[in-house]
Amino acid sequence: MTEVVLDAVNKVYPDGFHAVRNVSLRVPDGELFVLLGPSGCGKSTLLRMVAGLEEITSGDLWLGGRYANGLPPRDRDLAMVFQSGALYPHRDVRGNIAFPLEISGDASPASQERIVELSRALGIEETLNRLPSTLSGGQRQRVAMGRALIREPGIFLMDEPLSNLDAGLRTELRMEISALVRSIKVTTLYVTHDQTEALTLADRVGIMRQGVLQDVGTPQQVYDDPATMFVAAFLSAPPINLIRTGVWADQEEGIILGLGNQRLVLPWSDPRAPTLVSHHGRYLTVGFRADALRPAADGLIAGRVRALEFHGSEWLAYAEAGLPHVDPEAPYENDPPWASPEPSSGEGVLRRILRSAGIVAEEPTPEPGRHDGHHRRSDVVFRLESRSGVSAGDAIRLAIDTDRMLLFGEDGRRVDPVRR
């Protein structure tokens, strides 16, 4: 069994930069685990600590049940492919793949057969006698993978192996990597900044930001049910709609969310209502993906179509609706004015009880509006299967699939329960 376990791992450089912060993670034997995040988030540093190329500042690492903090790289039973799979230019493809076997003194006929089998699996069998200079970028990266896998390591590490390839080659090689890794059942840690790679390759994916592991789950879990606002925004093409909302608990109606000058009401029967009661009088951020909105004559959100984009199988539409949007990178820098949803007449027994018990805050004081400049648009993005009947400049109303609504607190974390 070759599993990877990290327990409260930190990396602090001599200049004080805290690159990896308290990461705990378990990658089971045979799993293809993808570390995803923007440049500088610490994902490659974490991979290099697993490889033994970076020293762990604090925390513990186990590889295949062995405590590995002090193990040199050669004793960790792993192989690594980097962004640019550097090959020996004077050796042909066969010689490059065979190099690790030569170092270990294995020149048996069986090992030569393995080279041919692996090159066939990687689609480079016909290049075995060619030099690297005659290969395409995709072929060179396949050779680098073959050289790493020929030793049959217990752990396979890949650091952005496709980032130097064009889009067509990335798609082709991504499918080959997925099939190959799963066929040989080797525990794999794969680092990328590309959400498409992560969602299509991974058994599970971990999303990092500023050295912190934000969320871990299957691709569908982290997409449909993200733990933080950053994860929801990062795993989103087109961008998710993140809208600032005020929360109001009303005995007669339920939980009222103020969206600009419009109101979204969740009845008390909604399973999220009990959690949202404690946020009465506060700000939250509500998130809707583009496919959770649809044109409807009685839709809640009223706006005007600003632009349409054709994406082959679908259209994306951008509507100006005057809603206070939130930047997921700096979620609460500029609080929008309180959009006071109108409660029913009278305070209501429940609200009085909650306030007297100190469970909910007093109603917020309205804030003056803020002018953020014309360069900051607050478009609502939604999908259309066809642009039929929709043109730029049209007034439009949009209905919301509230079952797919995401709610985030002031710390950027989910307020409504994450269903895992």
Side-chain angles (χ1 to χ4, degrees):
M1 181 176 181
T2 309
E3 68 174 7
V4 178
V5 178
L6 299 102
D7 184 17
V9 167
N10 286 271
K11 176 63 181 180
V12 183
Y13 287 100
D15 63 359
F17 177 63
H18 203 157
V20 174
R21 299 171 179 266
N22 202 39
V23 169
S24 294
L25 178 67
R26 176 179 173 270
V27 181
D29 181 44
E31 182 173 76
L32 200 169
F33 187 91
V34 175
L35 282 167
L36 173 68
S39 297
C41 71
K43 57 189 184 295
S44 290
T45 302
L46 190 63
L47 198 74
R48 289 171 64 84
M49 286 193 288
V50 172
L53 304 178
E54 293 275 3
E55 185 180 347
I56 295 173
T57 304
S58 65
D60 299 307
L61 170 68
W62 284 268
L63 301 175
R66 286 195 304 167
Y67 184 70
N69 280 41
L71 281 179
R74 65 178 178 273
D75 295 332
R76 297 192 179 203
D77 188 26
L78 51 79
M80 190 167 183
V81 173
F82 295 92
Q83 181 174 341
S84 178
L87 304 177
Y88 300 108
H90 62 287
R91 285 175 165 262
D92 60 17
V93 169
R94 187 188 303 273
N96 269 279
I97 295 175
F99 185 74
L101 299 176
E102 294 173 13
I103 293 297
S104 64
D106 183 1
S108 65
S111 69
Q112 297 305 309
E113 267 185 49
R114 280 214 325 273
I115 292 173
V116 175
E117 289 173 4
L118 185 56
S119 66
R120 187 179 297 124
L122 289 166
I124 52 173
E125 184 182 10
E126 75 285 355
T127 70
L128 284 174
N129 298 318
R130 290 168 56 182
L131 292 173
S133 60
T134 68
L135 305 178
S136 69
Q139 288 171 329
R140 286 195 294 271
Q141 201 66 322
R142 288 184 180 96
V143 176
M145 289 175 57
R147 186 177 59 191
L149 290 170
I150 194 64
R151 291 191 299 106
E152 299 181 343
I155 302 165
F156 190 26
L157 308 179
M158 307 186 76
D159 191 1
E160 307 225 37
L162 308 183
S163 60
N164 286 344
L165 306 179
D166 61 42
L169 275 175
R170 281 202 304 270
T171 301
E172 179 184 344
L173 196 50
R174 186 173 68 230
M175 291 187 292
E176 291 177 4
I177 289 172
S178 176
L180 180 65
V181 168
R182 285 179 169 84
S183 68
I184 61 180
K185 299 178 180 178
V186 60
T187 306
T188 302
L189 272 70
Y190 186 108
V191 161
T192 183
H193 65 274
D194 186 321
Q195 61 164 290
T196 301
E197 279 182 33
L199 295 179
T200 55
L201 273 174
D203 294 321
R204 286 189 308 149
V205 59
I207 299 94
M208 293 188 69
R209 182 195 186 200
Q210 297 178 355
V212 177
L213 192 60
Q214 298 266 314
D215 200 1
V216 175
T218 67
Q220 185 159 8
Q221 284 174 337
V222 296
Y223 182 86
D224 290 342
D225 207 21
T228 70
M229 188 192 310
F230 172 79
V231 173
F234 195 77
L235 291 175
S236 189
I240 189 172
N241 300 293
L242 295 171
I243 301 166
R244 199 78 159 124
T245 182
V247 182
W248 194 280
D250 181 85
Q251 182 185 17
E252 285 76 24
E253 294 191 79
I255 300 297
I256 304 172
L257 303 177
L259 302 176
N261 59 1
Q262 295 149 113
R263 304 158 73 247
L264 172 61
V265 180
L266 297 179
W268 288 114
S269 58
D270 190 293
R272 294 163 290 191
T275 301
L276 292 174
V277 165
S278 61
H279 294 272
H280 170 79
R282 299 178 186 172
Y283 296 114
L284 296 178
T285 297
V286 61
F288 300 105
R289 297 200 184 275
D291 49 5
L293 300 172
R294 59 178 175 80
D298 59 348
L300 172 69
I301 296 176
R304 189 166 296 276
V305 177
R306 186 178 64 82
L308 292 157
E309 289 181 350
F310 181 55
H311 287 255
S313 60
E314 65 182 7
W315 287 82
L316 290 181
Y318 298 80
E320 175 59 53
L323 300 179
H325 281 232
V326 173
D327 179 358
E329 293 292 338
Y332 295 92
E333 261 182 1
N334 294 312
D335 286 339
W338 169 257
S340 177
E342 305 234 345
S344 59
S345 59
E347 180 175 48
V349 176
L350 177 61
R351 192 185 309 152
R352 287 201 302 271
I353 294 172
L354 292 172
R355 183 175 296 117
S356 65
I359 296 175
V360 297
E362 296 292 328
E363 287 85 352
T365 303
E367 297 183 58
R370 296 186 181 177
H371 180 66
D372 289 328
H374 294 293
H375 64 288
R376 296 194 181 185
R377 293 191 178 275
S378 55
D379 292 339
V380 173
V381 186
F382 61 99
R383 281 194 168 105
L384 296 168
E385 292 183 4
S386 166
R387 68 166 294 176
S388 176
V390 179
S391 301
D394 288 353
I396 197 165
R397 300 195 74 90
L398 298 171
I400 302 171
D401 181 355
T402 56
D403 288 341
R404 300 178 59 197
M405 178 175 69
L406 305 171
L407 291 160
F408 305 96
E410 293 189 3
D411 60 356
R413 295 198 165 272
R414 283 281 291 283
V415 169
D416 50 325
V418 178
R419 302 174 296 275
R420 294 286 167 85

